[in-house]
Amino acid sequence: MPPGPSAPCDLETGADKLQRLHALWQQYGDCVRVPAASRAAATWLVTDPALIRRILVSNHRNYVKGVGIERVRVLLGDGLMAGEGAHWRGQRRLLQPAFQQAALGAYLRGFHTQALALSARWQQAARAGERVNVTAEVSTSTLTAVLQALFSEDLDDLRDAAGQPAFALVSEQSQRDLQFAVRFRALGAQIRELAARRRRERRFPPDLLSHCLRARRGASGPMDDKALVDEVLTLIVAGHETTAASLNWVWYLLATHPQVCARLRVDLRDLDLDTVPGREQLARWQPVARIVKEALRLYPPGWLYTRRAVHDDTLGGYHLPAGSDVFICSWLLHRHPDHWDAPEAFRPERFTAEAEAGRARYSYLPFSAGPRHCIGEGFAMAEMLIHVAQVARHLRPLAPTDAAPALEAEVNLRPRAPLWLRFEVCDD
Ligand code: HEM
């Protein structure tokens, strides 16, 4: 049996989950067995890249999604995030083409427009000497970006009974409780109606909804309305909250590291920021990418991947019984001293091509790995790069006077309270 405490530990509830996982890892190492408080099977905390590879990649068929997935399923049904087995495989195959590099070009104009609008608002606030509620602003902006990618020309028509934008509650209400789930699932009716209208009118503008409507799986035809609604709701939540959380951390880190921000602004002078970038151009925005990647290292929004073993397995030479829960905590992995010097330091230069090539695979997993890795990685990176470049081009965040934001480690890792920052316009 791997090392670990003999008494049961609750790893699933409470505001200090991260600290408890951290303490177990510090005390027992990279493969820890923890008797569960509420189940017969134990939980294994795994922070060794080679073992993580086995769970997520080489023996992935033996692992299904684990602790917490029931709650996600209430919200997102059997969409890609929570689906399993043959249904998940078929849906992933249908959706994958819409997220391949070649397809991402379709979304870049929307990202650019969102970034310009947000940058203009922040410049106005900076000129007026006002603080910016970064959390609220990036939430609205990333929600709009994903909604545009999904519904394009029909977005403005999607309104609730009171005439308000249908999906506004996603960024207005931050709690992901049952009450939210009921209101959110009710939006499925709007998606069904819009889908029916597009089919009737044979109108398929180039967006993600059209992709879902037109995708066919061999002889089994198009996806049914239940699957369609589950996928659209999944993309809204998965495509918005993670990106929003990441941008909070990017701005917090730039505000607290003025020398990194100054360097970024110098690097930005070499980039063409006046036009909507193409994919080839974005590939050259390495200085911006390094900052985003380092923020994702320190504060990975998907901070915990939970899995459950279907059959027995052998992990690190230990026998792992079927039914065991496995926790992979990217927040710990990204602080592993075997892979990261001074893990707590914000150092974007960790992500130069040479530095990346010299690091163990599976030691950096903000988007997970294997068949269930994030389908939206390219989408999210493009969106964040454009956002950061367009804002940093004109604005410098000032060091906050408040204490560092407390972490909320629930479905995503985000600041517990909204992050407010002051910016300075600096068009040099
Ligand atoms: C910074 C932004 C993002 C981060 C850090 C992130 C992270 C992740 C991670 C870690 C997973 C795997 C979870 C697990 O294995 O348990 C995941 C899955 C997923 N993500 Fe993302 N994500 C981001 C943005 C997006 C965007 C923009 C979209 C869509 C527009 C998206 C859609 C999805 C979907 C559908 C899945 C489930 C994939 C499957 O199981 O087949 N994500 N994401």
Side-chain angles (χ1 to χ4, degrees), residues 335-352:
R335 283 167 169 72
H336 201 307
D338 288 357
H339 313 297
W340 309 96
D341 290 336
E344 293 297 337
F346 176 56
R347 292 184 184 163
E349 63 274 18
R350 297 181 203 270
F351 291 94
T352 58

Side-chain angles (χ1 to χ4, degrees), residues 117-128:
L118 176 135
S119 171
R121 289 198 301 275
W122 290 13
Q123 286 176 57
Q124 205 178 10
R127 291 207 171 87

Side-chain angles (χ1 to χ4, degrees), residues 65 80-81 88 92 238-239 242 246 305 307 366 372 374 379:
K65 295 258 174 138
L80 280 188
M81 188 63 83
W88 168 80
R92 177 92 190 195
T242 42
S246 311
Y305 313 148
R307 296 292 188 268
R372 301 221 57 159
C374 177
F379 182 106

Side-chain angles (χ1 to χ4, degrees), residues 118 121-122 133-142 171 248 418-419:
L118 176 135
R121 289 198 301 275
W122 290 13
N133 183 340
V134 173
T135 304
E137 285 276 333
V138 298
S139 176
T140 314
S141 172
T142 54
S171 69
N248 271 281
L419 173 69

Side-chain angles (χ1 to χ4, degrees), residues 268-332:
L268 287 179
R269 288 189 203 138
D270 296 336
L271 308 180
D272 171 12
L273 299 176
D274 293 327
T275 53
V276 179
R279 284 190 301 123
E280 304 71 27
Q281 264 172 295
L282 273 186
R284 290 195 292 272
W285 289 20
Q286 288 309 320
V288 195
R290 288 198 284 271
I291 285 172
V292 172
K293 287 180 180 180
E294 176 66 343
L296 287 170
R297 181 186 71 82
L298 280 169
Y299 300 106
W303 64 282
L304 185 68
Y305 313 148
T306 65
R307 296 292 188 268
R308 189 160 290 164
V310 180
H311 304 290
D312 290 5
D313 196 4
T314 303
L315 266 193
Y318 301 116
H319 172 240
L320 175 102
S324 299
D325 284 305
V326 179
F327 281 11
I328 297 168
C329 178
S330 56
W331 190 80
L332 296 179

